[in-house]
Amino acid sequence: LRDELLELLGGTETQGLAKHEPMTTIMVVGVNGVGKTTSIAKLTRFLQEQNQSVIIAAGDTFRAAAVEQLSIWGERLGVPVISQSTSADPGAVVYDAMQSGLARKSDYVIVDTAGRLHTKFNLMEELKKVQRVAQKIDPTAMHEVLLVLDATSGQNALEQTKAFGEAVGVTGVILTKLDGTAKGGVAFAIRRRLAVPIKFVGTGEKVTDFAPFDAEEFISALFNA
């Protein structure tokens, strides 16, 4: 059973992040409430530990608290956060951040995005627009589109993965809230039905509670529960 589950999750090889020269762009997507902002902070710290320089684009201009939270994280982590006023065009924020990243010779630009607009259609169209703006500076952007999913959300997580995947082409998942009683069994469904790799897991609220997804370790945790 362990071997079957391991195969479902893609085997023992961990799925690393794309690396693109001169700069890698990562768009982080997901609905509100899944831990997107915290995951961006955790991902930033993870990259810093790999001696990579990071700029964050506060692209969720529809929620004032999101910009504020990212700015606080930016100060704590010592990374620039490019932002504009609430209700500003997210595409303009991303454009500024990418220009700034190139000027500073940053290794990564991580782009936060809105998690809710008036309708799901509007949200997906906005994300596509952000991607198009990024491609004006680098035609290959975004190099990674990471979807943040709450490990406890079950069937909703599958629907979210499908919707975001159709809109902007999700390249990997950050699975959050694995510190709870739910063990994140949705990971198997995501891999089996949608063929999207789990790249990182969040296991707590501290910025250090974050790691690349290890399928063997994950399965061991299931059996040892």
Side-chain angles (χ1 to χ4, degrees), residues 55-71 80-100 111-112 126 129 133 137:
I55 280 183
I56 298 173
D60 185 358
T61 58
F62 297 92
R63 196 167 64 90
V67 178
E68 189 179 334
Q69 286 168 349
L70 277 181
S71 298
V81 175
I82 308 301
S83 63
Q84 293 187 15
S85 60
T86 305
S87 299
D89 179 7
V93 176
V94 172
Y95 189 87
D96 287 351
M98 289 185 66
Q99 293 281 37
S100 180
V111 178
D112 187 20
E126 191 65 52
K129 178 184 170 187
V133 168
I137 298 175

Side-chain angles (χ1 to χ4, degrees), residues 138-216:
D138 183 345
T140 63
M142 300 285 185
H143 305 110
E144 290 276 7
V145 179
L146 299 181
L147 172 63
V148 182
L149 290 176
D150 182 334
T152 67
S153 58
Q155 189 68 28
N156 280 341
L158 278 180
E159 293 170 8
Q160 289 166 28
T161 307
K162 188 176 179 185
F164 282 101
E166 288 172 353
V168 286
V170 171
T171 60
V173 167
I174 300 175
L175 204 56
T176 66
K177 305 183 185 178
L178 274 177
D179 54 328
T181 51
K183 300 298 181 183
V186 71
F188 296 102
I190 291 168
R191 282 290 296 173
R192 184 180 180 186
R193 295 193 201 176
L194 305 169
V196 177
I198 314 294
K199 293 206 171 185
F200 294 97
V201 291
T203 55
E205 294 188 6
K206 296 197 295 290
V207 74
T208 52
D209 296 332
F210 187 78
F213 179 70
D214 183 318
E216 286 184 295

Side-chain angles (χ1 to χ4, degrees), residues 2-112:
R2 282 174 183 262
D3 290 343
E4 289 290 334
L5 291 175
L6 189 61
E7 191 175 331
L8 269 178
L9 291 175
T12 57
E13 190 174 340
T14 55
Q15 297 281 339
L17 287 175
K19 193 75 177 78
H20 182 79
E21 298 298 338
M23 184 175 71
T24 306
T25 50
I26 301 174
M27 183 160 68
V28 181
V29 300
V31 300
N32 288 346
V34 294
K36 190 151 48 77
T37 307
T38 310
S39 294
I40 288 171
K42 290 177 176 181
L43 178 60
T44 298
R45 185 182 179 280
F46 173 81
L47 289 170
Q48 288 176 315
E49 288 183 334
Q50 317 298 313
N51 296 316
Q52 302 294 297
S53 56
V54 180
I55 280 183
I56 298 173
D60 185 358
T61 58
F62 297 92
R63 196 167 64 90
V67 178
E68 189 179 334
Q69 286 168 349
L70 277 181
S71 298
I72 292 169
W73 277 118
E75 287 177 20
R76 288 179 187 170
L77 296 167
V79 300
V81 175
I82 308 301
S83 63
Q84 293 187 15
S85 60
T86 305
S87 299
D89 179 7
V93 176
V94 172
Y95 189 87
D96 287 351
M98 289 185 66
Q99 293 281 37
S100 180
L102 289 170
R104 296 169 190 252
K105 294 184 167 56
S106 295
D107 296 304
Y108 285 88
V109 170
I110 301 177
V111 178
D112 187 20

